[in-house]
Amino acid sequence: MAQAKYTTHQGMNDILPGEVEKWQALERLIHREARKFNFEEIRTPVMEQTELVVRSVGRETDIVSKEIYSFTRGEDNYVLRPEGTAPVVRSYIQHHLDQRGGTQKFYYIGPMFRAERPQKGRLRQFHQFGIEIMGTGNAVADAECIAFMIHIYDVVGIKNTTLKINSIGDPASRDNYKQALTDYFTPLKDKLSEVSRKRLEKNPLRILDSKEAEDRPLVENAPRIADFLNPESKNHFEQVKLLLGELEIPFEEDPLLVRGLDYYTRTAFELISPDLGAQDALAGGGRYDLLAEEIGGPSTPAIGFAAGIERLLLACEELEIDIPGLLADQVDIYIVSLGEEGRKWALKHLPKLRRHGVSATMDYDGRSMKAQMKDANRKNARFAIIVGENELKENRFTFRDMEASEEISLPFDSIVEKVVT
Ligand code: AMP
């Protein structure tokens, strides 16, 4: 075949039929789960003012100093957004969304742009989904934010992940810590890698991220942020860990986790997958309590995370997870009814189930029990309620877990309770 004259830019991919179905399914899943957590979708333009991104993400970060796509047109400076948080915070301020009252909970899905060196799992146009919980500094929001992140991977079936968390404190603690790092690394400068030597001047925190072999032993012995946190930040971190424990979300404390963006305060976290190879970060996030004020808005403590969609799809490929298959239509309950009385009972009890938010259906035609069970399987029912003469007499019904093939006899109310919880 002749080489095409025009091709996509390096690190920017077409998503073709065959692949696009996975994207659609994943997006549907994200919309569905976000609604369960009461997040509202927000969509912002792919271009923002340069100054917004520089001030938010930080001039000395890799993203702004090396990876930003920018151009000027007349008086205006544009950047292709490299991440989703600064645009959402900008939108929140611009449209006074704080005035809707209470905590604002947003989610987004969309393309981001960074001029990185392309490799597996690292693109120049990639896609993220993420959430922002704005207007609360409470550790409960941190726990809920992390819980939603884990929940998505759980629903998809990516369970073998490691959650790493740390606290990077408030700006004053961080400045003291930066100074301590500078004092520690300066006499060791000659032993540091070239990248880290540069970082020492501009952003010593980033040395902690270094993957260079010569830096590792020096980093191991470096001062730790935990020793510089003020009591409020320390207390907040303790609360977050406690709540994660209560939610039974396992985590590892990683004192070297600092994240690459300037706007973070306090909680920082990352979700890692051993199934991904070198680019093993599935998602990351943290608190950014000062960002809204920093860019001209009201004081708005907030927390969020962003997750890479391509990396999630790579992990699914590794694990042979079929995302469209996950969304195959499913009904919660199929009522298998025998005889005329059974059918009447079924018809009367369907609305009761539906009122509890349970999806339910039945057979209309008085078919055999075997035919009804087959239909329940075809419809992917999670449970069946079997209603025959005996059941009606005793007012207890056979409740069958279709996947586990287990049955128990229960009154109707207990069945509802079981399905709803
Ligand atoms: P960050 O905004 O850098 O914290 O990234 C959040 C998540 O987005 C990462 O954990 C990755 O899953 C994903 N991500 C970041 N940069 C890229 C990239 N260049 N290509 C693909 N995915 C990325």
Side-chain angles (χ1 to χ4, degrees), residues 114 116 121-123 126 128 259 261 281-284 306-308 311:
R114 294 182 198 171
E116 304 206 64
R122 188 190 278 181
L123 297 162
F126 59 101
Q128 289 184 334
R259 313 257 318 128
L261 290 73
L282 282 170
R311 294 208 191 155

Side-chain angles (χ1 to χ4, degrees), residues 330-334 350 353-354 356-361 382 419:
Q330 206 180 35
V331 66
D332 293 321
I333 292 193
Y334 190 107
L350 284 177
L353 290 166
R354 293 173 182 148
H356 280 93
V358 172
S359 61
T361 189
R382 287 167 59 212
V419 179

Side-chain angles (χ1 to χ4, degrees), residues 315-329:
C316 286
E317 224 164 83
E318 254 343 282
L319 300 168
E320 296 180 10
I321 294 170
D322 162 32
I323 300 184
L326 290 176
L327 289 180
D329 280 337

Side-chain angles (χ1 to χ4, degrees), residues 11 63 67 82-85 108 112-129 153 259-261 263-264 269-272 276 279-285 305-312 314:
I63 293 180
E67 298 165 2
E83 56 93 59
T85 300
Y108 60 85
M112 307 293 163
F113 305 85
R114 294 182 198 171
E116 304 206 64
R117 195 165 50 79
Q119 51 179 283
K120 191 175 177 196
R122 188 190 278 181
L123 297 162
R124 292 182 164 176
Q125 173 170 340
F126 59 101
H127 299 74
Q128 289 184 334
F129 69 92
Y153 293 94
R259 313 257 318 128
L261 290 73
Y263 53 60
Y264 286 118
F269 56 90
E270 225 161 57
L271 192 70
I272 307 294
L276 279 181
Q279 303 302 321
D280 62 355
L282 282 170
F305 78 81
I309 293 190
E310 283 82 356
R311 294 208 191 155
L312 193 159
L314 276 175

Side-chain angles (χ1 to χ4, degrees), residues 138-379:
N138 203 297
V140 172
D142 303 41
E144 175 91 330
C145 175
I146 292 173
F148 179 72
M149 176 178 79
I150 304 277
H151 173 81
I152 292 285
Y153 293 94
D154 234 31
V155 172
V156 170
I158 302 172
K159 296 179 197 267
N160 183 17
T161 54
T162 306
L163 171 65
K164 295 188 169 179
I165 63 168
N166 193 20
S167 175
I168 52 176
D170 67 337
S173 325
R174 208 146 21 124
D175 283 346
N176 291 339
Y177 181 51
K178 273 187 190 164
Q179 189 55 53
L181 285 179
T182 308
D183 295 345
Y184 167 79
F185 282 119
T186 303
L188 302 169
K189 199 170 169 181
D190 295 342
K191 294 189 184 152
L192 284 171
S193 67
E194 203 185 319
V195 226
S196 290
R197 250 177 279 154
K198 280 197 193 128
R199 286 176 169 170
L200 180 55
E201 278 151 39
K202 293 191 164 160
N203 192 353
L205 278 176
R206 293 298 315 285
I207 300 177
L208 304 179
D209 273 348
S210 167
K211 302 230 160 45
E212 306 295 323
E214 62 260 54
D215 295 334
R216 294 320 299 168
L218 307 179
V219 167
E220 282 307 314
N221 294 320
R224 294 293 196 243
I225 182 85
D227 298 324
F228 293 81
L229 295 183
N230 61 17
E232 293 79 18
S233 294
K234 249 187 201 159
N235 182 33
H236 182 90
F237 193 36
E238 290 308 314
Q239 290 277 327
V240 173
K241 288 187 281 184
L242 211 73
L243 291 168
L244 289 177
E246 280 178 21
L247 290 173
E248 295 179 24
I249 296 175
F251 61 85
E252 275 176 21
E253 256 186 87
D254 180 354
L256 300 177
L257 177 73
V258 286
R259 313 257 318 128
L261 290 73
D262 263 10
Y263 53 60
Y264 286 118
T265 48
R266 296 195 171 169
T267 315
F269 56 90
E270 225 161 57
L271 192 70
I272 307 294
S273 160
D275 301 310
L276 279 181
Q279 303 302 321
D280 62 355
L282 282 170
R287 261 203 174 276
Y288 50 94
D289 289 343
L290 306 170
L291 177 58
E293 241 178 322
E294 170 68 25
I295 58 174
S299 160
T300 311
I303 183 160
F305 78 81
I309 293 190
E310 283 82 356
R311 294 208 191 155
L312 193 159
L313 292 172
L314 276 175
C316 286
E317 224 164 83
E318 254 343 282
L319 300 168
E320 296 180 10
I321 294 170
D322 162 32
I323 300 184
L326 290 176
L327 289 180
D329 280 337
Q330 206 180 35
V331 66
D332 293 321
I333 292 193
Y334 190 107
I335 305 184
V336 174
S337 57
L338 301 172
E340 196 51 36
E341 287 309 306
R343 224 160 4 138
K344 266 195 215 149
W345 186 95
L347 188 64
K348 252 179 49 195
H349 285 75
L350 284 177
K352 295 186 185 172
L353 290 166
R354 293 173 182 148
R355 245 180 279 151
H356 280 93
V358 172
S359 61
T361 189
M362 66 178 280
D363 167 62
Y364 303 129
D365 299 313
R367 285 181 287 180
S368 71
M369 164 124 167
K370 196 169 154 208
Q372 291 189 47
M373 288 304 282
K374 206 167 144 195
D375 196 31
N377 271 321
R378 197 170 31 228
K379 294 203 161 59

